[in-house]
Amino acid sequence: MKQSRAMSLVEAVANVIVGYGVAVVTQILIFPVFGLHTTLAQNLKMGAVFTVLCRARHNTVYAERMIMRSRPGMCAASS
């Protein structure tokens, strides 16, 4: 069964929200282990930066995949 565009958007937004939450919680738990003490506001800001960077990288990988698929013989996925 094919997923609708609306549900794809819902899934993508949910993935970003969960990723952001994981980044912030990880920072809160791990930073003190390394002697880094940050405020909640700082953790929220850093989580946002990490989330934007991860999304940008994901988009880059997607673009690379589409370029490779559009050129026959460039990779096994285009066969």
Side-chain angles (χ1 to χ4, degrees):
M1 186 159 112
K2 190 172 180 177
Q3 187 177 39
S4 70
R5 285 185 171 200
M7 287 308 297
S8 291
L9 178 61
V10 169
E11 181 183 0
V13 170
N15 284 337
V16 170
I17 292 169
V18 169
Y20 176 73
V22 169
V24 172
V25 170
T26 301
Q27 290 163 197
I28 291 169
L29 296 174
I30 299 300
F31 281 9
V33 173
F34 293 95
L36 302 170
H37 302 285
T38 56
T39 65
L40 178 59
Q42 289 171 324
N43 280 316
L44 293 172
K45 289 175 187 174
M46 285 187 282
V49 169
F50 294 148
T51 299
V52 168
L53 291 174
C54 286
R55 295 309 307 165
R57 179 60 187 140
H58 174 78
N59 291 342
T60 303
V61 168
Y62 177 78
E64 291 168 357
R65 187 179 312 128
M66 293 300 105
I67 290 169
M68 291 299 178
R69 286 184 180 172
S70 71
R71 297 175 181 226
M74 288 290 289
C75 66
S78 64
S79 303

